[in-house]
Amino acid sequence: MLKIIASNHIRKESLNKFLDLAHELIVKSRAEEGNVSYTINVSLDDPCLFTFVEVWKDQAAFDTHSQSEHFTRIFPKVSELSDSATPPTFYQELEA
């Protein structure tokens, strides 16, 4: 499995627009074949800081997601609403 974690700090005046986009991104990403989990989490310390935690079956599933209509349409808008972002970090789970 492939895990991806990235964060965006959304401008306060853009929160409502971001939340609408985030909801759509969550729903459509979770419906994709190859998606194991897709969450967007808000910081308890900063209501404008959101962390994306994604789990995909494999790299191919993530690559398909990255080319999906909803991702290519929504994610540039999320970037426009952000005043800062951390690049995604990719993880592979260690086997016990």
Side-chain angles (χ1 to χ4, degrees), residues 2-13:
L2 181 66
K3 294 183 182 187
I4 300 119
I5 299 176
S7 296
N8 286 71
H9 193 271
I10 305 300
R11 291 188 308 277
K12 189 173 184 175
E13 66 272 12

Side-chain angles (χ1 to χ4, degrees), residues 16-88:
N16 287 335
K17 189 169 188 173
F18 169 77
L19 292 172
D20 289 341
L21 293 170
H23 176 74
E24 182 181 359
L25 190 58
I26 291 166
V27 169
K28 291 186 175 179
S29 297
R30 286 180 179 172
E32 288 182 62
E33 186 175 333
N35 179 260
V36 177
S37 175
Y38 195 101
T39 63
I40 301 176
N41 308 272
V42 62
S43 168
L44 295 176
D45 297 323
D46 181 350
C48 293
L49 179 60
F50 294 86
T51 299
F52 293 69
V53 180
E54 307 174 37
V55 182
W56 297 92
K57 184 178 91 175
D58 53 26
Q59 182 68 49
F62 175 73
D63 292 344
T64 299
H65 164 68
S66 296
Q67 297 171 20
S68 68
E69 183 278 332
H70 58 274
F71 181 86
T72 58
R73 176 177 48 83
I74 294 173
F75 208 78
K77 293 178 184 178
V78 169
S79 296
E80 291 172 9
L81 303 175
S82 301
D83 55 17
S84 66
T86 61

